[in-house]
Amino acid sequence: MTMRAIMDNEHDRATLTASSAQSPAENTQMAGRSYSWRGVTATNERITAMLENPTFISSVVVYGHNLSSVGTVQVEYLFEGAVVFDTGPVVAADIIPLGVWRAGIDPWGGSDLTSLPSIHYNVWTEPTLVDGYRITFDDPNSEAGYIQVGRIFSGLPYSPPKDMNVSWGVKLRWVFRGEKKRTESGSLRHIGGGVSRRLTFDFKHLDDEEAGILTQELLRAGAGQEVYINIYPEEGGVKEAAHAFVAMLDGDFETTNEFHNNFSAPLAYLEV
């Protein structure tokens, strides 16, 4: 699989309605971890997004949700009032495989991604013309008693051809916030908390056309736009989840014309 990045988020321009809301559905369009949409219950909660104009999309990402290991998400694409694509209810969690599951330690059917800072669910499809979409959440076993979602992304992701994919050397850095200080007795203490990710990778070979496409995508997003980036889409497990998050471009964007019809481009993204 090749890297996929939603740099132009259709969801941020959509008109949203929710089946219920302790906090508004528009929070799924806003930046910052402190904002989220929260439904009143944990069963049959729904967000409907209507787009400004009919457009093609091939992905929907539900980011920072609180669904349990048996909670489901259903994504429906809409066009002129009709459902043109339907995932049906799908369990959102990555279940611990039987060969890894530890009797008496791990919960039965538990997720192995709960230690990650943000859990998300994504749908990849063929490009489909839509004027809206509907996302339904159902989690009758929810301990919280309500559905909560941080961000939603939708659109056509940028993805380079397979032979021009991200090169070896992908570096993921977990940045533990805070600082370490010693007490008068010499004990070491860590002050502050939280963790964020910094992802660096290179495109070693982009032909002239693909380098132009990437340049336009990145200039359109700029340095301050939130994007969803996924280096190992559809691989599942910790590998994909750790390398998939909402981020901003860190630093500048540059390309190098290595030789005829070949550009290289290093990139760095910092988790928001």
Side-chain angles (χ1 to χ4, degrees), residues 222-238:
Q225 180 69 36
E226 290 184 353
V227 305
Y228 170 76
I229 188 164
N230 190 322
I231 297 294
Y232 303 110
E234 299 187 88
E235 290 200 18
V238 175

Side-chain angles (χ1 to χ4, degrees), residues 2 43 60 94 127 130 155 170 173 175-176 204 212 219 223 229 233 259:
T2 62
T43 57
V60 172
D94 244 347
V130 305
V170 174
R173 179 182 176 189
V175 182
F176 292 95
K204 294 293 189 183
L219 291 179
I229 188 164
F259 48 85

Side-chain angles (χ1 to χ4, degrees), residues 18 20-21 23-25 27-28 36-39 45 47 137 147-149:
S20 71
S23 55
N27 283 353
T28 61
S36 62
W37 164 72
R38 181 180 291 182
E45 291 286 357
I47 289 179
F137 306 91
I147 301 296
Q148 181 169 298
V149 174

